């Protein structure tokens, strides 16, 4: 009897179905648990990769902007999570005196699955021909003029003279202007040839191959000027050419040239070192960026050392 009962239990359909169902449930729970662990692991790995690459991208962007925008910096940066990377939205700014000015906003992609760097851009720069002449005027996306420099070795059909525009600007404005000199000077001479004016940036004689290519492009507009974005220089944001401030700015420039890991800047760094320009006192200065009120900058008019003047940001004092 007991053997028969045991056999009946074994072949009981209901019990067999329950056992199969229970086994399937356990398997399903196991699969779900493993899947959740895998998903959570992937999310953690993705987030760590995102954070690491986001930081690396920010450092590159910050360094690059310092090299390509006089006194430029990232005033705001926001990373959006993606797959093994992300999207960075940033705000590019610079200070005119003590006042921060937003020049433009941009977007870059970073990570293992991305579009090429700088392929996404919010806004952009534009250009016009100044009063139907042969001088081409470029603008930041927020409407401020991009300054331009004239190498002393280049010939020009027409030399920029934006100092003549000062009378058209109201007294309550702070004005930024790029000046190109008639020949190279050292920074100690500059405070003598343009006294009583605040200098925020020094344009050094460090031409790149990339700049030459850009000049060929600009020659289509009969414009061999060098944009502020192609020039290299020393930040002196305090406005005074003290030995301490210039040396600090020059050492920062050298560090930035080394840390970009871009060949064109590595070549510039090598060239500076090969020429023995380890100290800013030896570096030829071809131009400067100055700022001040209309009355302060009027002292520069008819200065024989100034070859060209190019208007930049004009903003309210307060």
């Amino acid at each position: 009897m007991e053997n028969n009962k045991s056999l009946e239990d074994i072949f009981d359909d209901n019990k067999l179905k329950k056992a199969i169902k229970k086994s399937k449930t356990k398997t399903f729970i196991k699969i779900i648990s493993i899947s959740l662990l895998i998903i959570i692991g992937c999310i953690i790995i993705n987030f760590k990769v995102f954070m690491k690459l986001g930081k690396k991208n920010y450092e590159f962007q910050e360094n690059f902007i310092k090299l390509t925008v006089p006194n430029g910096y990232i005033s705001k940066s926001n990373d959006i999570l993606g797959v093994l990377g992300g999207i960075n939205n940033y705000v590019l700014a610079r200070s005119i005196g003590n006042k921060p000015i937003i020049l433009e906003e941009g977007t870059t992609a970073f990570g293992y699955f991305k579009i090429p760097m700088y392929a996404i851009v919010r806004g952009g720069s534009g250009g016009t021909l100044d009063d139907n002449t042969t001088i081409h005027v470029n603008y930041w996306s927020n409407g401020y003029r991009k300054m331009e420099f004239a190498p002393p070795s280049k010939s020009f059909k027409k030399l920029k003279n934006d100092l003549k525009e000062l009378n058209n600007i109201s007294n309550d404005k702070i004005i930024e202007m790029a000046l190109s000199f008639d020949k190279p000077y050292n920074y100690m001479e500059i405070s003598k040839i343009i006294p009583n004016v605040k200098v925020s940036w020094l344009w050094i004689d460090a031409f790149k191959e990339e700049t030459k290519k850009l000049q060929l492009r600009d020659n289509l507009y009969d414009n061999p000027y060098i944009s502020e974005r192609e020039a290299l220089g020393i930040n002196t944001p305090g406005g005074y050419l003290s030995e301490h401030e210039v040396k600090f700015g020059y050492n920062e420039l050298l560090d930035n040239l080394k840390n970009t890991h871009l060949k064109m800047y590595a070549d510039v760094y090598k060239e500076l070192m090969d020429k023995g320009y380890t100290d800013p006192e030896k570096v030829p200065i071809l131009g400067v960026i100055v700022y001040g009120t209309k009355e302060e900058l009027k002292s520069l008019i008819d200065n024989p050392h100034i070859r060209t003047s190019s208007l930049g940001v004009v903003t309210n004092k307060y």
Side-chain angles (χ1 to χ4, degrees), residues 236-301:
T236 56
Y240 302 100
L241 298 182
S242 67
E243 181 180 0
H244 171 75
E245 191 165 357
V246 174
K247 284 189 174 182
F248 180 85
Y250 187 61
N251 288 333
E252 183 182 45
L253 171 64
L254 294 180
D255 287 341
N256 289 335
L257 288 170
K258 287 190 293 184
N259 294 332
T260 53
H261 306 297
L262 295 175
K263 185 180 182 302
M264 62 179 179
Y265 290 117
D267 292 344
V268 172
Y269 176 80
K270 184 177 183 301
E271 182 180 350
L272 291 173
M273 294 299 100
D274 289 346
K275 289 179 177 179
Y277 294 160
T278 56
D279 191 294
E281 291 181 13
K282 303 176 182 178
V283 180
I285 307 298
L286 303 181
V288 295
I289 293 176
V290 299
Y291 67 93
T293 63
K294 174 170 75 173
E295 295 303 317
E296 289 170 337
L297 297 186
K298 274 186 174 181
S299 65
L300 299 171
I301 296 175

Side-chain angles (χ1 to χ4, degrees), residues 107-282:
T107 301
T108 60
F110 61 89
Y112 295 106
F113 301 99
K114 65 173 183 177
I115 59 173
M117 187 70 74
Y118 306 112
I120 300 177
V121 178
R122 184 180 300 134
S125 58
T128 62
L129 289 177
D130 187 12
D131 298 327
N132 296 317
T133 68
T134 57
I135 293 179
H136 190 253
V137 183
N138 288 307
Y139 293 89
W140 294 100
S141 62
N142 280 5
Y144 297 111
R145 283 193 183 195
K146 288 183 179 179
M147 296 171 286
E148 294 185 314
F149 294 93
S153 59
K154 292 280 184 178
S155 60
F156 294 81
K157 290 185 178 180
K158 182 175 180 178
L159 292 172
K160 278 179 175 285
N161 182 18
D162 286 347
L163 283 168
K164 71 181 186 298
E165 302 291 337
L166 289 176
N167 286 329
N168 300 324
I169 300 172
S170 61
N171 293 320
D172 62 342
K173 303 293 184 182
I174 294 292
I175 304 159
E176 179 187 51
M177 193 168 288
L179 309 177
S180 301
F181 296 136
D182 58 335
K183 64 178 184 178
Y185 295 93
N186 63 51
Y187 81 86
M188 293 177 290
E189 293 173 313
I190 291 171
S191 57
K192 296 176 182 178
I193 66 176
I194 52 168
N196 306 318
V197 178
K198 291 182 178 178
V199 178
S200 64
W201 192 81
L202 305 171
W203 176 37
I204 69 171
D205 185 2
F207 292 102
K208 312 187 298 283
E209 286 300 319
E210 290 297 313
T211 300
K212 295 175 184 176
K213 293 175 184 177
L214 289 161
Q215 285 176 325
L216 290 174
R217 177 203 67 190
D218 288 339
N219 280 334
L220 296 174
Y221 303 102
D222 294 320
N223 179 39
Y225 286 89
I226 293 178
S227 167
E228 63 174 275
R229 296 221 68 171
E230 281 85 54
L232 280 173
I234 303 169
N235 289 336
T236 56
Y240 302 100
L241 298 182
S242 67
E243 181 180 0
H244 171 75
E245 191 165 357
V246 174
K247 284 189 174 182
F248 180 85
Y250 187 61
N251 288 333
E252 183 182 45
L253 171 64
L254 294 180
D255 287 341
N256 289 335
L257 288 170
K258 287 190 293 184
N259 294 332
T260 53
H261 306 297
L262 295 175
K263 185 180 182 302
M264 62 179 179
Y265 290 117
D267 292 344
V268 172
Y269 176 80
K270 184 177 183 301
E271 182 180 350
L272 291 173
M273 294 299 100
D274 289 346
K275 289 179 177 179
Y277 294 160
T278 56
D279 191 294
E281 291 181 13
K282 303 176 182 178

